[in-house]
Amino acid sequence: MLDMKWVRAHAEEVQAAADGKKIKVDIAVLLQRDDERKLLLQQTEEARRLRNTLSAEIGKLMQSGEREQAEKMRAQVKQLNEQLEQEEAKLASVQEEVTRLQWLVPNIVSPDTPVGLSDEDNVELRRVGELPVFDYQFRDHVELGEMHELIDIPRGVKIGGTRSYVLKGAGLLLHRAVQQLALDLLLKQGFTPLEVPLMVREGTLVNTGFFPTGRDQVYELQGENKWLVGTSEVPLVSYYADEVIDVKEPVKLAAVSTCFRSEVGSGGRDVRGLYRVHQFAKVEQVILCAPDAAESERMLQEITGHAEELLQQLELPYRVVAVCTGDMSQKTYKQYDIETWMPSREAYGETHSSSNLHDFQARRSNIRCRDEDDKLVYCHTLNNTAVASPRILIPLLENHQQADGSIYIPAALRPYMAGAERLILPEHEQGK
């Protein structure tokens, strides 16, 4: 959560951020409740002090034989205890309300974040690569996947229900290949790879800013107080929770993990194929750096560049957009999305997201470092999707399909695909 003193001094800015991000929190009410909390705290502390003073006096009076006066003070102490019990109950109630509202307070947004209501208001920054031109009837990734025996959605649904799938044969190999390519790219950039827990405590999701606003997107393990993460950003950031770390050089972490999302609210959207599924894999990059705006901005450009480099190695056309206020999450200060061209959608589709959170996550997770004056301060954190699969298979298959039904494999992937330059149709599909 943001520092309350800062929130008081910037109440209008914080309320504007909440309104822009469609988070229902009234900052004026929060500040009012916090004032009530402070007053009740002061009153309870004063009542405790007076009770302790009277209790000490009672002891002295009893020792000196002044029992009548001592009994009168005991009556005062009893009355004070009853009053204190009521005030403590009020304080606990108000404190609970203040805490609930504090957890809803959003991160502010950067001055260059576009104002908008939805992803339609995101602002394109650049396009890279040429869109494919097909002089034949092109196929979407589902048809290509079935023809090449790469994807089996009906059996996936039979096993796991809606938004499930099976990758088989070269489909699985491509799925693994893009992940390994992304991981190798990050290793060359100095990232430390981690294998991390995918079942996490509720507090971990709160501290990293995924709860309370994103609770409906996460699968809960009933009776365990544990949840399945939708991104390894959660455990990667939490790796350093409640610690003081050295960020003279930015700390760079990466993980390859399975991810789970409920996709509540997306019913009827992107129901065909692999675009919006419940289970997928991601290579995630997380950076913790000094709490310097220029430094974390530089890191944001760097991790976005890593994702762009991957897409260039995959020889895919894409564009980078600045995400607007209405399309941002509670925790984000500044965000870029990278959208890759998907012929079947006749549009760019989101494949990567890159975010700078400033100290929002670190403050909630209590991750600190020392500044130049040796003072403890909260770090800045950033994250980016190096690659997410099977969604990346959509543009990979569709953009690289050939007139004869084969699929071109980009040179960067071939070492992970036993040197294969193309996926050739099975014999029973050839000539159809």
Side-chain angles (χ1 to χ4, degrees):
M1 59 190 75
L2 300 180
D3 178 71
M4 281 299 292
K5 290 182 180 179
W6 194 94
V7 172
R8 285 185 177 277
H10 302 82
E12 290 186 6
E13 183 179 358
V14 176
Q15 186 64 64
D19 294 343
K21 293 181 177 183
K22 305 171 189 173
I23 296 173
K24 294 181 179 180
V25 60
D26 190 323
I27 302 303
V29 171
L30 167 61
L31 298 180
Q32 180 184 349
R33 294 288 185 273
D34 193 45
D35 287 338
E36 293 176 21
R37 180 192 64 81
K38 289 178 180 178
L39 179 59
L40 285 167
L41 181 60
Q42 183 181 1
Q43 290 172 346
T44 54
E45 288 177 344
E46 177 60 25
R48 290 189 193 108
R49 186 196 65 77
L50 180 56
R51 180 188 61 183
N52 294 340
T53 300
L54 289 175
S55 296
E57 286 297 320
I58 290 170
K60 292 177 183 179
L61 289 171
M62 291 295 290
Q63 288 178 355
S64 64
E66 300 179 61
R67 292 182 177 275
E68 185 177 348
Q69 186 63 26
E71 289 303 322
K72 289 181 180 179
M73 283 195 177
R74 279 200 178 99
Q76 285 182 267
V77 169
K78 182 180 179 181
Q79 186 178 4
L80 266 175
N81 280 333
E82 291 174 354
Q83 176 188 338
L84 187 58
E85 186 177 345
Q86 292 176 358
E87 289 180 347
E88 286 176 337
K90 288 180 183 177
L91 176 60
S93 177
V94 173
Q95 179 63 70
E96 183 179 346
E97 176 69 2
V98 168
T99 301
R100 184 187 69 81
L101 293 171
Q102 279 183 309
W103 285 125
L104 288 170
V105 173
N107 202 354
I108 60 168
V109 300
S110 67
D112 56 348
T113 291
V115 175
L117 298 177
S118 69
D119 56 1
E120 294 182 0
D121 298 313
N122 293 343
V123 176
E124 182 177 298
L125 300 177
R126 57 184 172 274
R127 293 190 182 193
V128 177
E130 296 294 325
L131 302 187
V133 176
F134 301 103
D135 55 5
Y136 53 90
Q137 183 62 45
F138 72 88
R139 301 176 172 93
D140 71 5
H141 69 284
V142 175
E143 187 176 357
L144 289 166
E146 291 172 347
M147 288 173 58
H148 284 269
E149 300 179 359
L150 312 175
I151 305 168
D152 192 331
I153 291 175
R155 287 191 175 97
V157 172
K158 177 178 71 174
I159 297 166
T162 59
R163 299 186 188 275
S164 298
Y165 59 92
V166 170
L167 299 178
K168 56 189 290 190
L172 173 64
L173 298 181
L174 277 173
H175 175 72
R176 296 288 296 271
V178 293
Q179 294 174 62
Q180 192 60 50
L181 176 63
L183 182 60
D184 288 349
L185 186 156
L186 295 182
L187 293 176
K188 291 176 183 176
Q189 297 298 329
F191 281 75
T192 299
L194 281 74
E195 176 74 17
V196 292
L198 304 181
M199 297 182 294
V200 301
R201 296 186 175 97
E202 183 175 7
T204 305
L205 287 154
V206 172
N207 293 340
T208 50
F210 287 84
F211 283 2
T213 55
R215 186 179 290 268
D216 63 350
Q217 291 298 315
V218 185
Y219 286 110
E220 180 182 7
L221 301 178
Q222 294 291 336
E224 297 284 336
N225 189 31
K226 289 185 180 179
W227 305 70
L228 296 175
V229 295
T231 169
S232 57
E233 173 193 342
V234 175
L236 286 175
V237 172
S238 301
Y239 183 72
Y240 286 113
D242 298 315
E243 294 187 27
V244 177
I245 63 175
D246 182 358
V247 290
K248 290 185 179 66
E249 293 294 330
V251 176
K252 301 179 178 182
L253 306 176
V256 183
S257 70
T258 303
C259 304
F260 306 90
R261 289 186 187 168
S262 66
E263 296 292 355
V264 169
S266 63
R269 295 171 53 202
D270 308 309
V271 293
R272 179 171 168 79
L274 302 177
Y275 191 83
R276 201 174 296 277
V277 291
H278 290 310
Q279 176 183 318
F280 54 98
K282 279 212 304 178
V283 180
E284 188 75 11
Q285 46 185 327
V286 162
I287 288 183
L288 300 93
C289 68
D292 175 78
E295 172 77 346
S296 58
E297 172 67 18
R298 185 173 68 83
M299 290 295 99
L300 179 64
Q301 302 305 324
E302 180 177 312
I303 59 177
T304 304
H306 296 157
E308 290 192 68
E309 181 179 346
L310 179 89
L311 288 173
Q312 290 166 19
Q313 290 193 25
L314 295 179
E315 303 174 37
L316 295 174
Y318 65 89
R319 69 173 188 166
V320 180
V321 300
V323 175
C324 74
T325 52
D327 194 30
M328 292 175 77
S329 68
Q330 179 195 15
K331 60 192 175 75
T332 308
Y333 172 76
K334 182 176 179 178
Q335 180 178 340
Y336 297 132
D337 278 355
I338 303 178
E339 301 174 347
T340 307
W341 181 253
M342 300 181 182
S344 62
R345 297 167 66 91
E346 298 183 345
Y348 291 94
E350 180 195 335
T351 51
H352 301 71
S353 185
S354 187
S355 301
N356 184 352
L357 282 71
H358 274 201
D359 67 356
F360 188 85
Q361 269 183 336
R363 185 178 294 276
R364 291 167 78 122
S365 300
N366 193 30
I367 306 172
R368 297 176 294 171
C369 59
R370 294 192 179 275
D371 64 13
E372 294 178 353
D373 299 322
D374 205 37
K375 179 182 176 183
L376 285 174
V377 291
Y378 294 104
C379 305
H380 281 191
T381 64
L382 305 97
N383 64 81
N384 174 259
T385 315
V387 75
S389 185
R391 184 177 289 191
I392 195 64
L393 300 186
I394 300 173
L396 192 63
L397 296 176
E398 292 183 358
N399 284 284
H400 292 318
Q401 63 182 294
Q402 307 297 304
D404 62 359
S406 66
I407 299 170
Y408 166 80
I409 298 176
L413 282 181
R414 293 172 192 170
Y416 310 101
M417 297 291 293
E421 297 181 5
R422 292 174 185 266
L423 297 181
I424 308 298
L425 283 172
E427 289 186 7
H428 59 272
E429 284 288 348
Q430 294 178 19
K432 282 189 179 181

